[in-house]
Every structure is written in structure tokens, then in C-alpha cells.
Amino acid sequence: MTSLARRGVLKCLPVAAGAVVTGVAASPRAAASPREVARQGADAAFPQPEVRRSVTRTGRLETGLTVEFTEQSLPGIGTVTTRTYEGAIPGPTLRVRPGDTLEITQVNALPPNDGAAHQDMNVPHHFNTFNLHLHGMHVDPTGEADNIYRTFEPSGTPGTTATYRTRVDVPADHPAGTFWYHPHHHGSTATQLLGGLGGVLVVEGDVDEVPEIAAAKDVVVCINELKLSGGRVPELTSHGAYDGVASTFLVNGVKNPVLTIAPGEVQRWRVVNAGAITAHFLSLRAHELHQIACDGITFMEPVATTGLTLPMGGRVDLLIRGGEPGTYKLTGGGPSQTLLTLVVTGEARPMRLPAALPGRPTRLPEPTRTRSLTFRSYENVFPGAFPNAYRILGDGETPPADPLAGRHDLAWGRLAPDFVNQRVRLGEVEEWTVVNDSHAHSHHPFHLHTNHFLLTAVDNRPLATPVWHDTVAVPPNGSVTFRLRAEDFTGRSMLHCHQLQHGDEGMMQIVEYVR
Ligand SMILES: [Cu+2]
């Protein structure tokens, strides 16, 4: 059933590119020109990123993600020069299974960085240095795995490149679901994502074998957010560099692509917010969204809704059933922001929704310790190009070791090198409250690396059914409450605001998981 469904997916991909059909790239450079793949995808009715899948026999996905400036021809937008993975926005979709090994060779083909780093690490810098974060994956945060403390520098010599390797063992009991990858070098993350660096990572498994889901077309909906001015991402020379530059939203690299569905047909959409600044309130006119997973963790049963919030970094898996023939818009960002157009057409194809799913139970024991964190923005408090301070106060806040620009008070709560803000003991159940004390239009999605947490309340109102997340929107002037139990991986990891300008400017903490 699953392999048939997979073949069905592959048929939807551009057929001329051999690398797409085999789905495996043995070398850093795929056999087909990635740009060619992207262009063919754009010509198709609804593009899908190139797929690279692990080899079943060996359980390994060995692939490359070269980062370089490429010229993209974006339909309806024009020619854009930006940093890309493998010459495409988004990067290729990586598909693995629990127990697999993922080996990624990254070539940094970017030019040398301009200038030295600012003495304050929380000022954006080094836009040609990156690393790799596997967002939402429950894997080792150290060594050559999901280690965001590494730095993949450009070679420093114009015309040459530098190569870095990531090797991740996906646990045999890893949840099947929708994850994604993006760079996470402190100081350059926002700029790089706003140029289109990001791609989808799918873990295949039990949920895909539910008959109604196996029968549904598997559709990646990767929403990238670009800031474009004069065909480039503006160099971030000041905090205001993006002010007044409208966000361009692409779905699988295309502005407002058209997806077709038959009346009654059920499709499974893997919706990824790969943006840095904008949350999406997803809504599809005249259609219910049947949510089956949040942030890669499957629900116990589908939950029908008419709209949901997808914060930056978040993912939802949705089953969509085609309604009356017609044309419908999936909106996000705001009600006038169309992400894609759904055309319901053709012969009716009645399909069923599943009644039950192989979900993760939504219970944890009573907590034995609590923490309280506050996300706070300070605007126009520093002289110079980056006048704002973004801080995390409360339990574990960073003390003011070095007064910043004479503002001793603003040294509290910033990200500081080697200061561990939160030590989380394996096996202990904790309850965290994260407060956003900023004004109405300040979005601060909370993201924790390495472990999912169980959201139990929003603004102190308990949820009827708690939900597993790795990223959650903290409402302005509001709070979220969750339980956390880390069970296996030790080492240094992170928590931060996934409004990535805020993260780059200090709204980030070091979490250490300890025995
Ligand atoms: Cu924030």
C-alpha cells in the first residue's frame, strides 16, 4: 500500500530529471541540475521539491547540500540572486525512516564574510557562515549530529570552497512525520532563511500505513518567506533593513501555485512554515482542515478545524477533502495573503478519512519542578544600527557579566557564550510557563531543540486535549504552559524565539540535558 502510494507521489514529480525519480543522490551534486529540477517543477501544475530518499537496503541517506549564491527565475517575481541549498528554493526533500543514518555533506561555496564579528555576539553577523539544524528531530544535539554550535565557514579564499559533514542516527523509535532543516548559526539565521535556505525532512513510518492516509496523495507544502529588494535579499546592515520590504511567500518555490483535487478526494498536505518573521493563520475557504499531526507528532484521531495558527518553524499535517467543484484559496499571513490556490475539478472520487491514528498519548505525570521564562522586547535602547534588545528573563536568565553599551540592565537575559541557562535532568517531569509580555503585534514563537513538549494551557486556560509541539506561538501579552520530560540525549542544545531576527539579537538560551 505504502509503496504504491509512494509511486503515486513520484509520478507527480517532474519526470525528465533522473535524480528525482531515483530519489538518491550519492554525491554532493545531484545528477540532474538542481536548477533544472526547480524550473521544471515551476512549470508543473503544482511543484514538489526534489526528493532524496534513503536506500532501503542500507538504511542510509547519503546526500549533499551545497550552499551557494544562485540566480533563481521565480515566476511572477523575476530574477533573484540568493543563497540556496542545491540551487533550489526550498532545498530537496529528504526522506528517511526510523533507524536510518543520515549523512549530509555540505559544501560552503559562499564568498568570505565581510568584516569582523561585532564584539556583541547578539548583533547579526557573518552571513556566509552556516551550520545545519534538523528542526523537530529527536536526535543527538552534539558531535557531528544536530549540533548548532558548529560553524561551517566559507573557505576564506575566493574561488575555493569548504566542506563539512553532518551524520545523524535517526532513533529506531523516532516518530514518523514532517520535520525540516535550516541553518542555525547564531547571527546569520534570519538573513539566510529570508533568502530561501530551508527544506523539508520527512520521517516515514506507521502513520503513512493507515489505509486512508496511504491512499491519499502525499503533498509537501513548504512555505518560504523571502525579503527581496532589487532582486536580492537586502544585506542586514541595520535592524531596519527589512522594514518596508514586503515579504514574498513561496510555496515550493512558486508564488501562489495551483493544486488540483477531485471532489471527494482526500490529500495529505505536509505544511511547513519555513519563514523567519511571519506566522500564518491557515484557512481554506469552504473546506475543513482535518489535522492529523502537529510538529511531526501524530494525533490520536483527526481534528477538524476551519483555521489554525502555524508559527514560524511549525508544521501541520492536514487531510484535505475536495468539496464542490470550484476555485478556493489557502490563505495565511493575513486573510488577503494567498499561499496557494486549490481547484476542485474532475470526476468525483469519494475517499474516506481515518477514524483513528497511531498517535502519541497526550499525558505526562505530575511535574516535580517548574520554570518560568519571559520573552521581552526592548525597542530603541542601543545606539547604532541594531537598536533593539531581545531578551529571555526569569528562571535561568543570563546575568550581566559584561555591561553592553553602558546598559547594564540590558545585559540580563541575552544569549552569552558558554552560559548554560537551563539544565534539564533526564527523566524528570517539568512544567514550564513561557510569557510574552510584548505588545499586540509582537510574535514570539517558542522553540525547543531535541525534545518535544506537551502544551497543556494557553493564557492559563487548559486545553481540552494537550498537544505535542516543538514550536508554539506565545500570544502577545499572554503565555503558554507545557510539560517536558527529556529521556535520552544529553548535551548542549537550545531554546529560542523563532522570530529569527529576535533569536539572532539575543532571544536565545543554552539548554543542557544532563543525567
Ligand atoms: Cu521573538
Side-chain angles (χ1 to χ4, degrees):
M1 203 71 171
T2 307
S3 65
L4 278 175
R6 270 187 217 134
R7 228 167 288 143
V9 173
L10 289 172
K11 277 183 191 154
C12 306
L13 292 163
V15 288
V20 174
V21 177
T22 60
V24 177
S27 74
R29 309 296 285 165
S33 152
R35 226 166 302 170
E36 197 179 325
V37 171
R39 208 166 29 239
Q40 288 170 357
D43 290 342
F46 189 76
Q48 287 286 272
E50 178 196 348
V51 175
R52 297 182 182 176
R53 174 179 281 121
S54 55
V55 179
T56 309
R57 186 174 48 80
T58 60
R60 275 161 63 96
L61 173 56
E62 197 179 329
T63 192
L65 292 176
T66 290
V67 178
E68 61 188 330
F69 277 101
T70 57
E71 203 172 84
Q72 301 286 309
S73 178
L74 302 176
I77 296 167
T79 302
V80 172
T81 302
T82 185
R83 298 174 185 86
T84 57
Y85 286 125
E86 298 288 278
I89 302 172
T93 297
L94 309 181
R95 296 187 75 114
V96 297
R97 297 185 64 84
D100 284 355
T101 301
L102 178 57
E103 284 191 32
I104 299 172
T105 302
Q106 289 207 267
V107 175
N108 186 338
L110 299 170
N113 285 302
D114 294 334
H118 193 276
Q119 63 170 31
D120 176 4
M121 71 187 291
N122 295 313
V123 168
H125 59 280
H126 284 180
F127 305 125
N128 292 332
T129 298
F130 56 87
N131 57 23
L132 189 64
H133 175 44
L134 307 178
H135 185 124
M137 292 289 284
H138 178 58
V139 295
D140 185 352
T142 69
E144 289 192 333
D146 182 25
N147 182 350
I148 47 71
Y149 296 97
R150 302 173 79 193
T151 53
F152 300 174
E153 307 271 7
S155 80
T157 307
T160 66
T161 62
T163 300
Y164 302 90
R165 192 179 79 139
T166 295
R167 187 181 187 282
V168 179
D169 293 319
V170 182
D173 60 354
H174 197 283
T178 304
F179 303 88
W180 67 297
Y181 62 87
H182 63 81
H184 206 294
H185 172 254
H186 184 65
S188 60
T189 313
T191 299
Q192 291 170 357
L193 266 78
L194 292 169
L197 284 185
V200 178
L201 173 56
V202 172
V203 180
E204 300 174 348
D206 51 10
V207 63
D208 308 322
E209 282 146 32
V210 172
E212 295 86 353
I213 295 173
K217 186 194 270 188
D218 188 324
V219 183
V220 164
V221 178
C222 182
I223 307 165
N224 290 89
E225 175 177 20
L226 273 58
K227 289 287 188 186
L228 299 171
S229 176
R232 303 188 77 87
V233 180
E235 276 300 308
L236 198 61
T237 52
S238 71
H239 185 87
Y242 297 137
D243 293 356
V245 179
S247 289
T248 296
F249 298 103
L250 303 180
V251 168
N252 301 336
V254 176
K255 197 172 169 180
N256 187 15
V258 177
L259 177 59
T260 58
I261 192 170
E265 177 191 351
V266 172
Q267 296 183 349
R268 183 234 197 119
W269 294 3
R270 300 177 184 271
V271 188
V272 178
N273 185 347
I277 294 179
T278 303
H280 294 292
F281 184 77
L282 297 178
S283 171
L284 179 61
R285 196 168 59 80
H287 287 76
E288 279 185 317
L289 312 174
H290 299 272
Q291 189 177 358
I292 57 170
C294 174
D295 290 348
I297 306 294
T298 303
F299 287 179
M300 303 297 279
E301 58 191 12
V303 174
T305 176
T306 54
L308 52 86
T309 298
L310 187 62
M312 302 76 98
R315 289 89 61 216
V316 287
D317 281 45
L318 305 174
L319 296 179
I320 303 293
R321 179 149 56 187
E324 295 293 316
T327 299
Y328 307 92
K329 292 180 184 315
L330 177 74
T331 53
S336 62
Q337 179 65 59
T338 301
L339 296 171
L340 66 83
T341 298
L342 183 69
V343 176
V344 182
T345 182
E347 290 288 304
R349 195 186 310 165
M351 290 173 66
R352 296 159 58 92
L353 296 167
L357 299 167
R360 177 184 288 190
T362 54
R363 283 185 304 277
L364 277 180
E366 287 299 308
T368 51
R369 84 165 280 174
T370 61
R371 300 181 201 242
S372 182
L373 281 59
T374 298
F375 282 1
R376 182 170 296 164
S377 311
Y378 301 88
E379 288 172 11
N380 297 310
V381 289
F382 290 133
F386 293 90
N388 300 345
Y390 297 96
R391 300 293 185 251
I392 302 176
L393 302 171
D395 294 340
E397 67 190 6
T398 313
D402 306 300
L404 295 174
R407 293 294 303 263
H408 195 74
D409 50 334
L410 299 174
W412 286 98
R414 75 209 184 282
L415 177 70
D418 291 323
F419 183 82
V420 176
N421 300 89
Q422 314 291 346
R423 274 201 177 79
V424 174
R425 194 163 294 282
L426 299 189
E428 185 159 21
V429 179
E430 303 198 358
E431 183 170 84
W432 294 37
T433 302
V434 180
V435 174
N436 172 1
D437 72 358
S438 304
H439 53 70
H441 44 268
S442 209
H443 291 278
H444 296 304
F446 171 90
H447 172 46
L448 178 66
H449 289 208
T450 313
N451 289 290
H452 280 73
F453 50 86
L454 185 63
L455 183 72
T456 55
V458 175
D459 289 343
N460 296 312
R461 288 192 302 273
L463 304 185
T465 306
V467 180
W468 291 100
H469 285 261
D470 58 52
T471 309
V472 65
V474 189
N477 295 310
S479 69
V480 296
T481 305
F482 60 79
R483 290 185 185 184
L484 169 69
R485 181 169 63 189
E487 298 199 69
D488 32 31
F489 298 108
T490 56
R492 287 193 184 178
S493 188
M494 297 229 102
L495 69 82
H496 63 95
C497 177
H498 221 286
Q499 205 286 23
L500 293 174
Q501 279 189 300
H502 300 174
D504 280 342
E505 295 181 41
M507 199 173 261
M508 182 159 309
Q509 290 191 336
I510 297 177
V511 177
E512 187 170 28
Y513 298 108
V514 298
R515 285 189 199 285

